[in-house]
Amino acid sequence: MIDFAKKLSSKYKIFILSNTDEIHFPYIWKTFPSLHIFAQNLMLSYQLGCMKPNLEIYSKALSMHKLKAEECIFIDDKLENMRAAEKFGMTSILHINNKKTFIDVSKHLT
């Protein structure tokens, strides 16, 4: 998925909205340096003060980067997070496996 995100990032803004905490995230950041391509585009629940699927996190994340919900595609592996993003006005995709996500994202970008 990181390679796919890198490819998309040449044409689109790519962000990470993650439920994480100040204890685990530094470990993840150190262990997975491929995530560093998102360094300027991280939206972390412990920094935003709320978690998915709370609608407040979507509002804060969009405001933080001056994004319009209707212009966003939200990808998540949890149905409740996907449904919350849809309530906020985003197109959402349930990540089941990489192949399906590639196909679903491609459909929305063409």
Side-chain angles (χ1 to χ4, degrees), residues 21-38:
D21 60 47
E22 61 272 8
I23 296 169
H24 293 100
F25 188 73
Y27 171 80
I28 293 166
W29 195 247
K30 182 180 177 184
T31 306
F32 301 100
S34 58
L35 293 174
H36 294 186
I37 64 166
F38 302 106

Side-chain angles (χ1 to χ4, degrees), residues 15-19 43-45 48-70 72-93:
F15 299 88
I16 291 181
L17 176 60
S18 179
N19 284 348
M43 300 173 285
L44 307 174
S45 60
L48 295 173
C50 48
M51 295 177 64
K52 300 179 287 183
N54 183 321
L55 292 181
E56 183 181 8
I57 197 168
Y58 303 97
S59 177
K60 286 182 175 184
L62 293 168
S63 288
M64 183 177 182
H65 291 282
K66 298 177 177 60
L67 303 171
K68 296 178 182 176
E70 64 274 9
C72 295
I73 298 174
F74 178 81
I75 303 166
D76 203 281
D77 61 347
K78 294 188 176 179
L79 188 60
E80 62 269 20
N81 296 340
M82 189 186 98
R83 294 293 180 230
E86 289 174 348
K87 286 180 186 176
F88 208 83
M90 292 182 235
T91 296
S92 67
I93 294 172

